[in-house]
Amino acid sequence: MTDARAPQDGTQDLRTGPGTPQNATKVPARRPVTAAGVLGGIGQARHLGLVVALVLLAVVGLVTAPDTFATSSNLVSILALAATIGVITVGMTFVIIGGGIDLSVGAIMALASVWATTLATQAYGPVVMAICAILVGTGAGLVNGFLISYGRMVPFIATLAMLVAARGLAQRMSDRRTQLVQPDNNALVELSTTRLFGLPLLVYIFALVVAIGWLVLNRTTFGRRTYAVGGNPEAARLAGINVRRHTLILYALSGLCCGIAAILIMARTTTGSSTHGDLYELDAIAAVIIGGTLLTGGRGTIIGSILGLLIFTVITNLFILNGLNTSDQLIAKGLIIVIAVLLQRRSLNTPT
């Protein structure tokens, strides 16, 4: 029951005992400290640190490869590579904030690219190819979501099984051969070759996906529910959120992003292949973690994930420009992931 004597003007009584004195002193009520406010401040500080790290990597590039790093062709190459993995990273951000994990993103992208480049699909033209890639990616994501939300499978196991199955199905459909995009469907390839203000169209598609992802996560009920489900699923259920259905949609969203990424990689390579997206799940998960998203869910930002992705992409580019071994790249990425997780744990254990 509401106390009729409670002030209604945004103030609160200072009371020294169980009784309510008639001349109780009023002071302005404190604004509640919301989780969004605290996490927003943490996120801004982390974003600043990521920008500083990106600037330092650029300085390293200018010092170690002064003739090639700062060229327009190299910068466009960095953005084009980031675009494909970046679309997947957006979907991965939603899944991890929602308390899950998706190890199958690279394999789903490969399956979507193979299915879209079969001769039967290509006979219908580039639009149908793009729709096919999106439907295949979304369908695989729905399977993941159904197994996890309604089949009660652990996300790690369900998506690991999808990784193996999708990669195997892609190999079977293509007979382990690379499928070329036919000349009649060059409109798809033009996403990579056509440039607007010096940048290929696929970079703008990537930017559009990031913008939509940011709006959905930060300006919609779906985004708020994603944070709630990832932070405390039981509390979210008690608050009236259908946690199972929401989890299903999150994995479908991740699959949708894989389908869009398949379109971009077909445009870049003019092929569909079962080898596409190898270890993309590593890059996507690493970018999300470096960007500040908690592996346990409930906290994270799209901007942080994209900054983390750019850091990883620039590191890869620096290794290539300096002729370093691919195995050394993997070792460096693994160390970065370990350091990022350790820093996360330390920040969570530090009293505020």
Side-chain angles (χ1 to χ4, degrees), residues 106-116 136 140 166-167 169-170 173 273-274:
I108 291 176
M109 187 188 75
L111 176 62
S113 75
V114 167
W115 209 316
V136 170
R167 190 75 70 179
L169 182 57
M173 290 186 66
S273 174
S274 60

Side-chain angles (χ1 to χ4, degrees), residues 2 23-24 50-51 108 118 128 154 161 164 192 253 282-284 302 340:
T2 303
N23 58 345
L50 293 172
V51 171
I108 291 176
T118 59
V128 173
V154 177
V164 177
S192 179
L253 178 61
L282 168 67
D283 290 341
I302 294 290

Side-chain angles (χ1 to χ4, degrees), residues 340-351:
V341 173
L342 289 176
L343 289 176
Q344 268 193 12
R345 291 176 62 86
R346 182 176 180 181
S347 65
L348 287 175
N349 293 329
T350 301

Side-chain angles (χ1 to χ4, degrees), residues 164-298:
V164 177
R167 190 75 70 179
L169 182 57
Q171 291 174 355
R172 187 175 183 85
M173 290 186 66
S174 64
D175 198 23
R176 296 179 181 268
R177 297 177 181 176
T178 299
Q179 300 176 165
L180 298 176
V181 175
Q182 301 299 312
D184 294 341
N185 299 315
N186 277 341
L188 193 68
V189 179
E190 288 175 0
L191 293 176
S192 179
T193 57
T194 302
R195 297 198 175 191
L196 182 63
F197 302 112
L199 295 176
L201 293 179
L202 58 83
V203 174
Y204 293 99
I205 295 175
F206 166 49
L208 179 62
V209 172
V210 171
I212 293 174
W214 185 89
L215 288 172
V216 171
L217 189 60
N218 294 281
R219 294 291 184 267
T220 67
T221 302
F222 181 85
R224 291 191 292 272
R225 287 178 176 176
T226 300
Y227 282 107
V229 169
N232 191 328
E234 182 60 21
R237 186 187 66 81
L238 294 175
I241 299 174
N242 190 328
V243 175
R244 290 186 181 181
R245 183 176 64 190
H246 194 89
T247 301
L248 177 69
I249 296 174
L250 286 177
Y251 281 93
L253 178 61
S254 178
L256 171 64
C257 290
C258 292
I260 297 173
I263 297 172
L264 299 186
I265 203 165
M266 286 189 293
R268 280 183 52 225
T269 64
T270 70
T271 63
S273 174
S274 60
T275 62
H276 281 332
D278 188 32
L279 293 182
Y280 272 24
E281 57 275 356
L282 168 67
D283 290 341
I285 293 171
V288 172
I289 295 171
I290 293 171
T293 300
L294 289 181
L295 274 174
T296 53

